[in-house]
Amino acid sequence: MKIGVIGAGNIGGNLTRRLSALGHEVSVANSRGPGTLTALAEETGATPATVTDAVRDAEVVVVALPLKSVPDLPSGLFDGTSGDLVVIDTGNYYPRPRDGRIAGIEDEKLTESRWTERQLGRPVVKAFNGTYAEDLLNAFRPAGSPERLALPVAADDPAAKKTVRALIDELGFDTVDAGSLDDSWRQQPGTPVYGLQAGADAVARALSEASPERPAEFRG
């Protein structure tokens, strides 16, 4: 597939590495411009791109940015893209150390990915937000392995969710359907599943045990 990755930090960079190694046609972008991505491009074979070019003609776009940076993306970024384009949101809200207080999340009680969806003007699938970046490189296992980890995936669009779950399976991880985007609070920071390195049964159980009350350390 043609995949655009916006953000070349820990998660974005390692997804670029793995997806390129699997044979996908990956374009990677960051806020500083393609000239700063030469080393990653040489390592992976991915194409360094502007944010706009990374989105153009893509089948899947991964948004791997700090939440505070999402509104800074170009206006109308997804205008003219395919209606079948799948957008993956890997982000998390860290109000105190990084993002500052976001009213839509705190006051309107939007889930983090619902807020991101509104900023992008495009439906998103929430995945990889509680995944350790190094696990993407080191913890993948073949299907059926007893050591295979599982990742929760939340979305409103069943077809988009299916695409993302298939991609995660290809990356070497099982998935657990975490419900709609309004259910995605179950996998936000501070919940039992966040950062959990376990199989599908344990991940499903952790999702069911989540509390809708945002922990104090994740409130602005």
Side-chain angles (χ1 to χ4, degrees):
M1 288 192 294
K2 290 185 177 181
I3 299 177
V5 179
I6 302 175
N10 293 332
I11 291 291
N14 283 353
L15 282 173
T16 297
R17 292 178 175 92
R18 288 296 321 287
L19 292 168
S20 297
L22 289 168
H24 295 286
E25 185 179 332
V26 180
S27 296
V28 59
N30 65 10
S31 61
R32 295 176 295 156
T36 65
L37 296 167
T38 302
L40 182 61
E42 290 177 349
E43 175 193 346
T44 62
T47 301
T50 65
V51 170
T52 302
D53 286 342
V55 168
R56 185 180 295 118
D57 299 326
E59 297 165 82
V60 173
V61 169
V62 180
V63 179
L65 296 173
L67 251 66
K68 68 177 182 179
S69 299
V70 172
D72 296 331
L73 289 170
S75 178
L77 178 61
F78 294 100
D79 291 353
T81 56
S82 166
D84 296 328
L85 172 66
V86 175
V87 180
I88 301 174
D89 169 37
T90 75
N92 293 302
Y93 176 45
Y94 301 124
R96 297 183 184 181
R98 188 189 67 189
D99 296 318
R101 190 179 191 278
I102 295 177
I105 295 173
E106 302 263 7
D107 300 335
E108 296 182 51
K109 307 303 181 184
L110 297 175
T111 62
E112 295 167 14
S113 285
R114 183 68 75 193
W115 179 85
T116 296
E117 179 182 78
R118 289 191 179 183
Q119 309 311 304
L120 298 177
R122 184 84 187 197
V124 304
V125 178
K126 189 175 189 70
F128 300 112
N129 73 292
T131 308
Y132 290 102
E134 58 268 27
D135 283 351
L136 294 171
L137 297 182
N138 303 319
F140 57 91
R141 298 290 186 272
S145 169
E147 298 178 344
R148 204 178 206 221
L149 304 181
L151 310 183
V153 180
D156 296 334
D157 182 349
K161 184 184 289 182
K162 182 178 179 180
T163 295
V164 174
R165 295 183 73 177
L167 193 62
I168 293 173
D169 176 67
E170 187 182 358
L171 285 164
F173 301 89
D174 288 336
T175 58
V176 174
D177 190 331
S180 72
L181 215 59
D182 287 335
D183 298 319
S184 64
W185 56 267
R186 294 183 179 275
Q187 65 193 81
Q188 292 178 170
T191 60
V193 82
Y194 184 76
L196 179 65
Q197 296 166 298
D201 289 345
V203 166
R205 184 166 57 252
L207 287 166
S208 72
E209 293 171 350
S211 167
E213 182 70 21
R214 181 178 293 277
E217 61 267 35
F218 296 107
R219 295 199 296 266

